[in-house]
Amino acid sequence: MTAPWTYPDFDDHEGVHLFRDAASGLTAVIAIHSTHLGPGAGGTRFWHYADPSDAITDALRLSRGMSFKNAMAGLPMGGGKGVILADSLRTKTPELLAAFGRAVDSLGGRYVTAEDVGMSDADMVAIAKETRHVSGLPVTAGSAGGDPGPTTAKGVYLGVRAAIARGLGKDDPRGVHVAIQGVGSVGGGLARLLAADGAKLTLSDVDGKRARTLAEELGAVAVAANEIMMVEADVLSPCALGAVLDERSIEALQTPIVAGAANNQLATPADADRLHARGILYAPDYVINAGGIINVALEYLGQGDRAEVEARVAKIPERLESIWAESAATGVPAAVVADRMAMRLIGRG
Ligand code: NAD
């Protein structure tokens, strides 16, 4: 296996840690990109990789993304990410989760984990038996923490409203047409919030029944998953997968605004320029979708309750506005402006 620092996604990461525990079958990577602002925080992904090097690439890329996300959310946290390599012979046994908990603990608090794809709050409870550097645990009502989805949805909703105000000059989403790709935890929550405001919604999901059921409940329209990116609307809100904005899809977009929850929406850095060249107002993904990390970071830090979480999530529109203002003033794409701001915040600008 090649050394992590030879990978294209290596960006002066502070540490890339590889773990193997023969007894439980754990194979894992923990990448710490930056601890400039605080412990490297970011969830752990449990995923099948065709090749172990893909797991390292994922950890490198995602931990850097967490540095940027946490910095732009104003959190005293750096960026890190855990990846557990799943294989067809093993499941997430308590022994495997315990071994991962010990791996996290061995980093002495330089990395704080939480849920990501393939991991649940019950898994965090298992990990917490071995380390205190874990968040996203079940919490009591009124406390910070727990399922990040609804808080992410609230932040995205506020960001969509800010985009509508800037891009369309409308303070009220009533009658504004929003097309949502993916109506799971975040996209579904966003749809409900916008429906309550009287927005016109077009919904889609690869789980067609899920989209149709929600559309019926909210008086919206459901379209097939392969149609949503081309719907003529005011806002496209990608809330499913990453890399949905590429040369072809950007060319075909029929919305003046793209603002959604999905991580890593741009397939390549050049796609930031493509959106900008088309005059599309883009809400950088890691800025608009920071609600969930704000929720679990405050839980970990023991700093505050739901009201504090809500107050911090309410600042997401201000951050977006400062990015759009700088983008308009300099002609630099919003995604690039956000990256530069984040780099400055983590002492690398
Ligand atoms: P989820 O799994 O609850 O929902 C995703 C939905 O997208 C599912 O209903 C799935 O069927 C659907 N989907 C998958 N591929 C699709 C496609 N090609 N077209 C249409 N629908 C498709 O996930 P979630 O928690 O709602 O997260 C959604 C996105 O937001 C992900 O990219 C995630 O990384 C990102 N995000 C989530 C959070 C959070 O707090 N949950 C925080 C930050 C970012």
Side-chain angles (χ1 to χ4, degrees):
M1 194 185 296
T2 22
W5 54 85
T6 64
Y7 281 55
D9 288 286
F10 184 78
D11 175 45
D12 288 335
H13 285 67
E14 290 179 18
V16 183
H17 306 267
L18 309 180
F19 297 92
R20 187 136 216 184
D21 178 70
S24 65
L26 173 78
T27 304
V29 187
I30 295 176
I32 299 173
H33 177 252
S34 167
T35 57
H36 183 77
L37 293 172
T44 291
R45 182 164 288 198
F46 183 86
W47 194 250
H48 284 273
Y49 292 92
D51 189 283
S53 64
D54 297 339
I56 295 177
T57 293
D58 229 11
L60 290 172
R61 201 171 46 82
L62 294 166
S63 60
R64 180 175 185 266
M66 290 311 302
S67 285
F68 286 16
K69 185 184 290 201
N70 292 335
M72 292 298 277
L75 293 167
M77 310 294 267
K81 200 82 187 180
V83 169
I84 300 178
L85 288 81
D87 73 45
S88 49
L89 301 175
R90 301 192 193 272
T91 54
K92 271 185 297 171
T93 59
E95 292 75 22
L96 184 137
L97 292 169
F100 185 71
R102 291 193 294 278
V104 171
D105 205 59
S106 72
L107 299 173
R110 295 184 65 243
Y111 170 62
V112 181
T113 197
E115 296 93 332
D116 191 55
V117 178
M119 298 287 273
S120 66
D121 56 355
D123 297 332
M124 295 306 123
V125 172
I127 289 169
K129 292 190 178 133
E130 302 290 337
T131 183
R132 63 189 174 84
H133 305 300
V134 52
S135 57
L137 298 162
V139 292
T140 51
S143 311
D147 178 10
T151 315
T152 303
K154 182 69 186 295
V156 174
Y157 162 73
L158 296 174
V160 166
R161 288 193 62 143
I164 290 169
R166 185 172 186 96
L168 308 178
K170 291 190 178 166
D171 286 334
D172 183 354
R174 181 162 302 278
V176 173
H177 185 184
V178 183
I180 304 179
Q181 179 184 47
V183 288
S185 172
V186 180
L190 173 67
R192 286 196 164 82
L193 289 165
L194 286 168
D197 281 345
K200 177 181 169 195
L201 300 176
T202 299
L203 311 177
S204 88
D205 201 292
V206 280
D207 180 345
K209 186 160 179 276
R210 181 177 284 179
R212 285 192 300 276
T213 307
L214 188 64
E216 210 164 290
E217 178 195 326
L218 302 179
V221 170
V223 297
N226 61 0
E227 289 174 28
I228 193 75
M229 296 288 292
M230 278 116 43
V231 166
E232 195 178 334
D234 296 306
V235 182
L236 171 71
S237 188
C239 293
L241 302 176
V244 290
L245 298 168
D246 60 17
E247 188 171 2
R248 219 159 47 98
S249 66
I250 291 171
E251 188 57 43
L253 285 178
Q254 300 206 59
T255 55
I257 296 170
V258 175
N263 280 314
N264 302 316
Q265 289 169 36
L266 303 178
T268 68
D271 297 312
D273 302 311
R274 292 191 177 105
L275 285 171
H276 190 72
R278 279 209 56 197
I280 292 171
L281 185 70
Y282 172 64
D285 44 25
Y286 59 82
V287 180
I288 193 171
N289 73 14
I293 191 74
I294 291 171
N295 187 37
V296 293
L298 294 189
E299 170 197 342
Y300 176 73
L301 295 166
Q303 285 177 358
D305 50 11
R306 281 306 310 168
E308 176 63 19
V309 171
E310 296 286 336
R312 287 187 182 232
V313 170
K315 295 209 161 84
I316 288 175
E318 279 169 39
R319 289 199 187 87
L320 291 169
E321 275 148 19
S322 67
I323 291 165
W324 292 327
E326 191 171 321
S327 174
T330 59
V332 173
V336 179
V337 169
D339 284 0
R340 288 183 187 166
M341 282 182 177
M343 290 287 273
R344 284 198 293 276
L345 289 170
I346 65 169
R348 298 188 186 195

